């Protein structure tokens, strides 16, 4: 009987604490400036470590452009960002229960074309997120592609 009580006492804290799998949305999104790493296709959204997908851009010139795109998510649900030759603003929302995500009311300060237009279209189509305050991914409904963001560290 003592043996069972010891087991219960050992397991009780684990059971009581539980496993809260909900994300702290503000810790992730409102944690500074994000930089676009790349877009990925043909991924396994549920296991990116196993099948991260194929990068869309592989040349230095293309990567220089998409890596220059930055986003800042504010706690009030607004966001702003830099694109090639201009800026944009929008509204964002996230639900940690199902990791759904949306970006609406996107307004750019320049006429959109090329990679700028592609980036804004990808943002409009985002429906899910995953990641943490270092790296995050935003995916459309089908979850077969995603945009990957990393924190942009600014040197002093």
């Amino acid at each position: 009987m003592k043996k069972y009580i010891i087991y219960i006492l050992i397991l009780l804290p684990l059971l009581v604490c539980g496993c809260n799998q909900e994300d702290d949305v503000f810790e992730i999104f409102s944690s500074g400036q994000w930089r676009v790493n790349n877009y990925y296709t043909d991924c396994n959204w549920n296991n990116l470590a196993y099948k991260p997908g194929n990068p869309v851009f592989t040349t230095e010139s293309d990567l220089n452009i998409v890596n220059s795109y930055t986003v800042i998510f504010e706690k009030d649900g607004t966001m702003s960002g830099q694109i090639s030759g201009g800026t944009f603003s929008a509204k964002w929302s996230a639900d940690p229960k199902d990791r759904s995500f949306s970006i609406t009311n996107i307004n750019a300060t320049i006429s959109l074309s090329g990679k700028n237009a592609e980036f804004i279209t990808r943002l409009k189509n985002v429906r899910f997120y995953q990641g943490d305050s270092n790296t995050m991914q935003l995916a459309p409904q089908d979850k077969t592609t995603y945009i990957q963001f990393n924190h942009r560290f600014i040197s002093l």
Side-chain angles (χ1 to χ4, degrees):
M1 184 69 172
K2 267 186 167 179
K3 186 164 102 177
Y4 293 112
I5 293 173
I6 291 172
Y7 287 133
I8 290 171
L9 291 174
I10 291 171
L11 292 175
L12 188 60
L14 296 174
L15 295 172
V16 172
C17 291
C19 294
N20 182 354
Q21 294 299 314
E22 278 191 23
D23 294 329
D24 181 340
V25 171
F26 295 120
E27 178 188 343
I28 295 172
F29 293 100
S30 300
S31 57
Q33 188 177 55
W34 292 94
R35 177 186 63 83
V36 173
N37 173 277
N38 208 332
Y39 312 137
Y40 293 84
T41 61
D42 192 33
C43 68
N44 180 344
W45 179 253
N46 296 319
N47 191 351
L48 291 179
Y50 170 70
K51 188 176 178 188
N54 303 314
V56 170
F57 297 112
T58 56
T59 67
E60 185 176 348
S61 61
D62 287 339
L63 287 169
N64 284 338
I65 293 170
V66 296
N67 291 166
S68 72
Y69 297 157
T70 60
V71 177
I72 296 175
F73 299 94
E74 301 292 345
K75 287 186 178 182
D76 67 0
T78 61
M79 63 185 281
S80 60
Q82 298 283 325
I83 51 179
S84 241
T87 62
F88 71 94
S89 62
K91 294 190 180 286
W92 69 276
S93 65
D95 185 342
K97 292 181 180 119
D98 62 0
R99 294 188 175 165
S100 60
F101 192 85
S102 68
I103 297 174
T104 58
N105 301 333
I106 299 176
N107 294 302
T109 59
I110 60 171
S111 179
L112 297 173
S113 62
K115 288 182 181 53
N116 285 344
E118 179 183 9
F119 176 58
I120 296 300
T121 298
R122 286 178 182 269
L123 288 179
K124 286 179 181 177
N125 292 327
V126 166
R127 296 296 177 265
F128 296 98
Y129 78 91
Q130 67 177 331
D132 56 32
S133 59
N134 293 314
T135 303
M136 74 167 161
Q137 297 83 26
L138 300 177
Q141 186 66 42
D142 64 8
K143 298 180 184 176
T144 59
T145 66
Y146 63 92
I147 308 169
Q148 181 161 301
F149 293 83
N150 298 95
H151 259 297
R152 180 174 183 148
F153 296 102
I154 301 169
S155 57
L156 301 174

